[in-house]
Amino acid sequence: MQLITVGGPPSCGKTSVILKTLKHIVDDGVRVGVVKFDCLSTQDAETFDAAGIPVLTGISANFCPDHYFVTNIEDCFAWGQREKLDLMVSESAGLCNRCAPHIKGFLSVCVLDNLSGVNTPRKVGPMLKTADMVAVTKGDIVSQAEREVFAFRIRQANPKARIQFVNGITGQGAWEISRIWKGAHSADTLEGGRMRFSVPTAVCSYCFGETRIGEEHQQGTVRKIRIPE
Protein backbone atom coordinates (compact mmCIF):
# COMPACT_ATOMS: atom_id res chain seq x y z
CA MET A 1 0.00 0.00 0.00
CA GLN A 2 1.15 3.53 -0.75
CA LEU A 3 1.28 5.95 2.17
CA ILE A 4 1.43 9.72 1.71
CA THR A 5 1.83 12.06 4.68
CA VAL A 6 0.28 15.50 4.35
CA GLY A 7 1.02 18.27 6.86
CA GLY A 8 0.61 22.01 7.01
CA PRO A 9 -0.55 24.88 9.21
CA PRO A 10 -4.23 24.97 10.29
CA SER A 11 -6.74 26.12 7.65
CA CYS A 12 -4.16 26.20 4.84
CA GLY A 13 -6.34 23.94 2.67
CA LYS A 14 -4.94 20.46 3.33
CA THR A 15 -8.31 18.70 3.14
CA SER A 16 -9.29 20.50 -0.07
CA VAL A 17 -5.98 19.58 -1.71
CA ILE A 18 -6.40 15.95 -0.66
CA LEU A 19 -10.00 15.77 -1.94
CA LYS A 20 -9.22 17.35 -5.30
CA THR A 21 -6.14 15.20 -5.78
CA LEU A 22 -7.75 11.91 -4.75
CA LYS A 23 -10.63 12.52 -7.16
CA HIS A 24 -8.24 12.11 -10.09
CA ILE A 25 -6.68 9.01 -8.53
CA VAL A 26 -10.09 7.42 -7.86
CA ASP A 27 -11.00 8.08 -11.49
CA ASP A 28 -8.01 5.89 -12.39
CA GLY A 29 -9.58 2.98 -10.47
CA VAL A 30 -7.33 3.23 -7.42
CA ARG A 31 -8.91 2.48 -4.01
CA VAL A 32 -7.96 5.31 -1.64
CA GLY A 33 -8.53 6.17 2.02
CA VAL A 34 -7.64 8.89 4.51
CA VAL A 35 -6.52 8.96 8.14
CA LYS A 36 -7.34 12.31 9.69
CA PHE A 37 -5.40 13.34 12.81
CA ASP A 38 -6.64 16.36 14.74
CA CYS A 39 -6.44 17.83 18.24
CA LEU A 40 -9.87 18.74 19.58
CA SER A 41 -12.47 18.17 16.88
CA THR A 42 -12.89 17.79 13.15
CA GLN A 43 -15.73 17.75 10.63
CA ASP A 44 -13.55 16.56 7.77
CA ALA A 45 -14.71 12.94 8.10
CA GLU A 46 -18.15 13.98 6.84
CA THR A 47 -16.52 15.62 3.84
CA PHE A 48 -14.54 12.50 2.97
CA ASP A 49 -17.61 10.30 3.55
CA ALA A 50 -19.61 12.46 1.15
CA ALA A 51 -16.91 11.91 -1.45
CA GLY A 52 -17.11 8.14 -0.93
CA ILE A 53 -13.62 7.96 0.57
CA PRO A 54 -13.10 5.68 3.61
CA VAL A 55 -11.80 7.74 6.52
CA LEU A 56 -10.41 7.01 9.97
CA THR A 57 -10.35 9.88 12.48
CA GLY A 58 -8.04 10.24 15.46
CA ILE A 59 -8.41 13.04 18.03
CA SER A 60 -5.37 13.53 20.27
CA ALA A 61 -7.34 15.62 22.84
CA ASN A 62 -4.98 16.46 25.73
CA PHE A 63 -2.16 14.36 24.29
CA CYS A 64 0.61 15.91 22.17
CA PRO A 65 -0.71 15.52 18.58
CA ASP A 66 2.72 14.67 17.22
CA HIS A 67 3.38 11.93 19.76
CA TYR A 68 -0.18 10.75 19.11
CA PHE A 69 0.58 10.48 15.39
CA VAL A 70 3.78 8.49 15.88
CA THR A 71 2.21 6.06 18.32
CA ASN A 72 -0.78 5.37 16.07
CA ILE A 73 0.37 5.52 12.45
CA GLU A 74 1.39 1.84 12.34
CA ASP A 75 -2.10 0.76 13.49
CA CYS A 76 -3.64 3.16 10.96
CA PHE A 77 -1.49 1.59 8.24
CA ALA A 78 -2.87 -1.82 9.25
CA TRP A 79 -6.42 -0.38 9.06
CA GLY A 80 -5.73 0.75 5.50
CA GLN A 81 -4.59 -2.74 4.58
CA ARG A 82 -7.73 -4.28 6.09
CA GLU A 83 -9.77 -1.81 4.01
CA LYS A 84 -7.80 -3.11 1.00
CA LEU A 85 -6.63 0.38 0.10
CA ASP A 86 -4.11 0.88 -2.65
CA LEU A 87 -3.21 4.36 -1.41
CA MET A 88 -3.69 5.91 2.03
CA VAL A 89 -3.23 9.58 2.90
CA SER A 90 -2.41 10.66 6.45
CA GLU A 91 -3.50 14.24 7.18
CA SER A 92 -1.95 15.73 10.30
CA ALA A 93 -3.32 18.34 12.66
CA GLY A 94 -0.54 20.69 11.65
CA LEU A 95 -0.51 22.73 14.81
CA CYS A 96 3.16 22.62 15.78
CA ASN A 97 5.82 24.04 13.46
CA ARG A 98 8.45 22.16 15.47
CA CYS A 99 7.28 18.80 14.14
CA ALA A 100 6.93 16.88 10.90
CA PRO A 101 4.56 13.95 10.33
CA HIS A 102 6.77 12.58 7.56
CA ILE A 103 8.21 9.06 7.40
CA LYS A 104 11.41 8.02 5.66
CA GLY A 105 10.77 6.19 2.42
CA PHE A 106 7.21 7.50 1.92
CA LEU A 107 6.11 10.51 -0.09
CA SER A 108 5.68 13.59 2.12
CA VAL A 109 3.67 16.71 1.29
CA CYS A 110 3.54 20.11 2.99
CA VAL A 111 0.60 22.40 2.20
CA LEU A 112 1.09 26.16 2.59
CA ASP A 113 -1.31 29.06 2.16
CA ASN A 114 0.00 31.84 -0.09
CA LEU A 115 -2.11 34.32 1.90
CA SER A 116 -0.27 33.53 5.13
CA GLY A 117 2.54 35.96 4.30
CA VAL A 118 5.74 35.77 2.28
CA ASN A 119 7.82 34.94 5.36
CA THR A 120 5.71 31.95 6.40
CA PRO A 121 8.04 29.38 4.76
CA ARG A 122 10.78 30.64 7.07
CA LYS A 123 8.61 29.92 10.11
CA VAL A 124 7.44 26.44 9.16
CA GLY A 125 10.15 24.09 10.34
CA PRO A 126 10.70 20.36 9.62
CA MET A 127 7.19 19.95 8.23
CA LEU A 128 8.37 21.97 5.22
CA LYS A 129 12.10 21.24 5.27
CA THR A 130 11.68 17.45 5.13
CA ALA A 131 8.84 17.40 2.57
CA ASP A 132 9.21 15.98 -0.94
CA MET A 133 6.47 18.21 -2.33
CA VAL A 134 4.99 21.57 -1.37
CA ALA A 135 1.42 22.33 -2.45
CA VAL A 136 0.69 26.07 -2.36
CA THR A 137 -2.96 27.10 -2.05
CA LYS A 138 -4.76 30.44 -2.67
CA GLY A 139 -2.09 31.57 -5.11
CA ASP A 140 -4.89 32.71 -7.43
CA ILE A 141 -5.81 35.62 -5.14
CA VAL A 142 -2.36 37.15 -4.75
CA SER A 143 -0.20 38.91 -7.30
CA GLN A 144 2.32 37.17 -9.53
CA ALA A 145 5.09 38.91 -7.59
CA GLU A 146 3.76 37.53 -4.28
CA ARG A 147 3.58 34.02 -5.75
CA GLU A 148 7.18 34.23 -6.94
CA VAL A 149 8.48 35.57 -3.63
CA PHE A 150 6.55 32.88 -1.76
CA ALA A 151 8.04 30.16 -3.99
CA PHE A 152 11.51 31.66 -3.49
CA ARG A 153 11.09 31.50 0.29
CA ILE A 154 10.04 27.86 -0.01
CA ARG A 155 13.14 27.06 -2.05
CA GLN A 156 15.28 28.76 0.58
CA ALA A 157 13.83 26.43 3.21
CA ASN A 158 13.75 23.30 1.07
CA PRO A 159 15.61 23.52 -2.28
CA LYS A 160 14.81 19.90 -3.24
CA ALA A 161 11.03 19.94 -2.85
CA ARG A 162 8.76 20.11 -5.87
CA ILE A 163 6.44 23.12 -5.68
CA GLN A 164 2.94 22.90 -7.11
CA PHE A 165 0.36 25.68 -6.94
CA VAL A 166 -3.14 24.31 -6.55
CA ASN A 167 -6.62 25.80 -6.33
CA GLY A 168 -8.57 24.06 -3.57
CA ILE A 169 -11.91 25.21 -5.03
CA THR A 170 -11.56 24.59 -8.75
CA GLY A 171 -8.96 21.84 -8.42
CA GLN A 172 -6.56 23.46 -10.87
CA GLY A 173 -3.15 21.92 -10.23
CA ALA A 174 -4.55 18.82 -8.48
CA TRP A 175 -4.12 16.57 -11.52
CA GLU A 176 -0.38 17.31 -11.54
CA ILE A 177 -0.19 16.38 -7.83
CA SER A 178 -2.17 13.20 -8.43
CA ARG A 179 0.40 11.98 -10.97
CA ILE A 180 3.12 12.32 -8.33
CA TRP A 181 1.02 10.57 -5.68
CA LYS A 182 0.22 7.68 -8.02
CA GLY A 183 3.92 7.02 -8.42
CA ALA A 184 4.64 7.11 -4.68
CA HIS A 185 6.55 4.34 -2.92
CA SER A 186 4.56 1.34 -1.73
CA ALA A 187 5.27 -0.97 1.22
CA ASP A 188 3.62 -3.88 3.04
CA THR A 189 4.41 -2.67 6.55
CA LEU A 190 5.73 0.23 8.64
CA GLU A 191 7.67 -2.14 10.90
CA GLY A 192 11.25 -0.87 11.25
CA GLY A 193 10.31 2.53 9.78
CA ARG A 194 11.63 5.84 11.06
CA MET A 195 10.38 9.39 11.21
CA ARG A 196 12.22 11.99 9.15
CA PHE A 197 12.53 14.27 12.18
CA SER A 198 12.26 13.72 15.91
CA VAL A 199 9.21 14.92 17.81
CA PRO A 200 9.73 17.57 20.51
CA THR A 201 11.15 16.84 23.90
CA ALA A 202 8.18 17.19 26.21
CA VAL A 203 8.42 15.45 29.55
CA CYS A 204 7.63 18.05 32.19
CA SER A 205 5.05 18.58 34.91
CA TYR A 206 2.77 20.44 32.47
CA CYS A 207 2.63 17.35 30.25
CA PHE A 208 0.96 15.60 33.18
CA GLY A 209 -1.70 18.20 33.84
CA GLU A 210 0.05 20.79 36.01
CA THR A 211 -1.50 24.26 35.57
CA ARG A 212 0.19 26.28 38.32
CA ILE A 213 2.85 28.83 37.34
CA GLY A 214 6.14 28.96 39.21
CA GLU A 215 9.48 27.15 39.33
CA GLU A 216 8.39 25.07 42.31
CA HIS A 217 5.80 23.43 40.06
CA GLN A 218 8.16 22.77 37.13
CA GLN A 219 9.75 19.34 36.97
CA GLY A 220 11.27 17.21 34.22
CA THR A 221 12.58 18.71 30.97
CA VAL A 222 12.31 22.49 31.25
CA ARG A 223 13.93 25.12 29.03
CA LYS A 224 14.23 28.76 30.11
CA ILE A 225 14.36 31.81 27.85
CA ARG A 226 17.59 33.82 28.02
CA ILE A 227 16.79 37.27 29.40
CA PRO A 228 19.57 39.89 29.69
CA GLU A 229 20.22 41.13 33.25
Side-chain angles (χ1 to χ4, degrees):
M1 184 177 70
Q2 295 169 297
L3 171 63
I4 298 166
T5 57
V6 177
S11 302
C12 65
K14 296 185 292 295
T15 301
S16 294
V17 170
I18 292 170
L19 279 168
K20 295 297 184 184
T21 300
L22 289 185
K23 181 180 183 305
H24 293 291
I25 297 176
V26 169
D27 288 345
D28 291 336
V30 178
R31 181 164 172 76
V32 304
V34 174
V35 178
K36 170 71 180 183
F37 288 95
D38 224 315
C39 289
L40 299 178
S41 68
T42 179
Q43 286 73 48
D44 292 340
E46 299 170 8
T47 306
F48 287 118
D49 278 336
I53 297 174
V55 57
L56 178 67
T57 300
I59 302 295
S60 63
N62 58 351
F63 199 80
C64 167
D66 305 294
H67 288 78
Y68 183 73
F69 169 83
V70 177
T71 53
N72 283 281
I73 188 61
E74 189 174 20
D75 293 336
C76 294
F77 192 90
W79 167 82
Q81 290 177 314
R82 290 196 298 275
E83 291 287 319
K84 302 186 184 306
L85 303 181
D86 302 308
L87 185 152
M88 187 179 85
V89 176
S90 166
E91 180 184 351
S92 76
L95 292 179
C96 174
N97 287 342
R98 163 61 180 76
C99 303
H102 304 319
I103 301 171
K104 291 183 177 179
F106 293 93
L107 183 68
S108 58
V109 181
C110 179
V111 180
L112 295 179
D113 174 358
N114 211 154
L115 284 176
S116 61
V118 294
N119 289 320
T120 291
R122 290 175 168 174
K123 302 175 183 176
V124 180
M127 191 161 50
L128 167 61
K129 293 179 179 178
T130 63
D132 299 309
M133 165 178 275
V134 182
V136 182
T137 60
K138 304 172 190 174
D140 56 310
I141 47 181
V142 299
S143 67
Q144 179 64 25
E146 288 173 297
R147 283 195 294 274
E148 292 181 4
V149 172
F150 200 78
F152 176 74
R153 296 280 192 248
I154 292 172
R155 292 190 189 95
Q156 284 182 315
N158 185 345
K160 296 181 179 179
R162 172 174 177 147
I163 301 172
Q164 178 66 49
F165 284 84
V166 57
N167 189 316
I169 298 176
T170 67
Q172 184 178 7
W175 183 87
E176 287 80 358
I177 295 176
S178 72
R179 298 307 93 182
I180 302 297
W181 289 16
K182 272 199 72 178
H185 173 70
S186 179
D188 295 328
T189 178
L190 285 185
E191 185 176 356
R194 298 177 70 94
M195 299 296 293
R196 296 193 181 193
F197 200 84
S198 63
V199 296
T201 301
V203 185
C204 72
S205 48
Y206 297 107
C207 297
F208 293 96
E210 180 60 79
T211 58
R212 292 171 293 181
I213 298 172
E215 286 195 9
E216 65 271 31
H217 307 300
Q218 298 170 1
Q219 299 177 2
T221 305
V222 177
R223 177 174 292 177
K224 292 291 188 179
I225 187 172
R226 293 182 179 178
I227 301 176
E229 295 291 339

